[in-house]
């Protein structure tokens, strides 16, 4: 902001980048799939309450470009007044800030009591999200459904209440379901 000296600005920015790196380190240790722990095919980001990117740590720089649009889409679709402490939203819609269906974004609003302060987000490539071919990136698909399962602004946690069973149903009740829904869920938890 205007009036902030460069030293303070640098300290705060480096702390935010450090938070992103800690998020990534946790993902690497907690993930089920080697695509996270070995390939580092994910990114971690901090956004302000309006969805403006403040800091990122690109474990996979290719994901940094599109992730900056996701939080703004979530705010527009869900409304920041509908987000509560304990909520976690997942999303992979390529028409709303996603890159392609295997890249699932997890967004967590961060609150101080009931005041929304900022968002943390991670986007990670999943090796399987359904579709007409294993790996969820068939070059011969003609529809989005043939590429895999679309997840649009899904509250995985709502005020701390898990909806993992509903996510497993979404991953399974699709014309071309995920072949590894429990692996998807394990990696999303990371």
């Amino acid at each position: 902001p205007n009036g902030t000296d460069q030293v303070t600005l640098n300290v705060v920015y480096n702390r935010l980048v450090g938070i992103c790196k800690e998020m990534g380190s946790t993902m690497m240790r907690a993930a089920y799939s080697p695509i996270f722990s070995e390939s580092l095919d994910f990114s971690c980001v901090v956004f302000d309450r309006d969805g403006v990117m403040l800091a990122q740590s690109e474990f996979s720089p290719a994901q940094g470009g599109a992730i900056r649009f996701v939080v703004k889409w979530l705010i527009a679709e869900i409304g920041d007044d509908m987000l509560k402490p304990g909520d976690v939203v997942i999303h992979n819609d390529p028409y709303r800030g996603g890159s392609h269906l295997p890249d699932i974004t997890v967004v967590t609003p961060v609150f101080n009591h009931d005041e929304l302060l900022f968002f943390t987000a991670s986007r990670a490539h999943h090796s399987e999200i359904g579709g007409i071919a294993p790996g969820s990136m068939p070059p011969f698909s003609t529809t989005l459904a043939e590429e895999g399962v679309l997840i649009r602004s899904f509250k995985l946690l709502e005020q701390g209440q898990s909806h993992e069973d509903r996510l497993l149903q979404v991953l399974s009740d699709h014309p071309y379901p995920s072949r590894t829904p429990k692996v998807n869920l394990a990696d999303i938890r990371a």
Side-chain angles (χ1 to χ4, degrees):
N2 294 338
T4 303
D5 67 272
Q6 289 297 315
V7 173
T8 302
L9 186 61
N10 218 10
V11 168
V12 170
Y13 174 73
N14 284 312
R15 179 61 186 129
L16 292 174
V17 170
I19 290 169
C20 294
K21 289 179 180 179
E22 289 176 29
M23 290 167 56
S25 179
T26 300
M27 286 179 64
M28 288 168 49
R29 289 190 315 273
Y32 182 85
S33 299
I35 200 163
F36 286 25
S37 59
E38 300 295 326
S39 300
L40 307 182
D41 197 352
F42 61 87
S43 291
C44 299
V45 185
V46 175
F47 295 89
D48 73 7
R49 65 172 292 132
D50 296 319
V52 175
M53 185 186 295
L54 299 176
Q56 65 178 325
S57 181
E58 309 103 338
F59 291 87
S60 175
Q63 297 174 347
I67 194 172
R68 64 190 186 102
F69 300 107
V70 170
V71 173
K72 288 187 178 190
W73 275 108
L74 292 178
I75 292 170
E77 287 188 344
I78 295 175
D80 61 356
D81 57 327
M82 297 302 292
L83 294 169
K84 305 292 182 209
D87 286 355
V88 174
V89 182
I90 64 172
H91 178 90
N92 74 343
D93 188 345
Y95 296 107
R96 289 172 170 76
S99 42
H100 63 151
L101 295 180
D103 284 347
I104 298 177
T105 304
V106 178
V107 179
T108 304
V110 179
F111 291 83
N112 180 21
H113 301 289
D114 287 331
E115 180 187 2
L116 176 61
L117 299 178
F118 58 93
F119 296 90
T120 62
S122 63
R123 172 172 287 168
H125 184 92
H126 291 248
S127 57
E128 171 59 38
I129 194 70
I132 57 176
S136 305
M137 295 180 11
F140 44 86
S141 62
T142 58
T143 67
L144 188 61
E146 290 178 350
E147 292 183 26
V149 178
L150 175 68
I151 305 167
R152 183 179 292 157
S153 302
F154 181 90
K155 281 192 177 183
L156 183 63
L157 291 174
E158 192 166 11
Q159 296 183 25
Q161 176 75 31
S162 173
H163 295 297
E164 290 180 353
D165 56 332
R166 286 182 23 211
L167 176 60
L168 288 173
Q169 185 175 4
V170 167
L171 292 169
S172 300
D173 292 347
H174 185 272
Y176 310 100
S178 172
R179 292 160 185 85
T180 59
K182 292 184 179 181
V183 172
N184 293 125
L185 183 57
D187 285 338
I188 289 169
R189 285 180 188 145

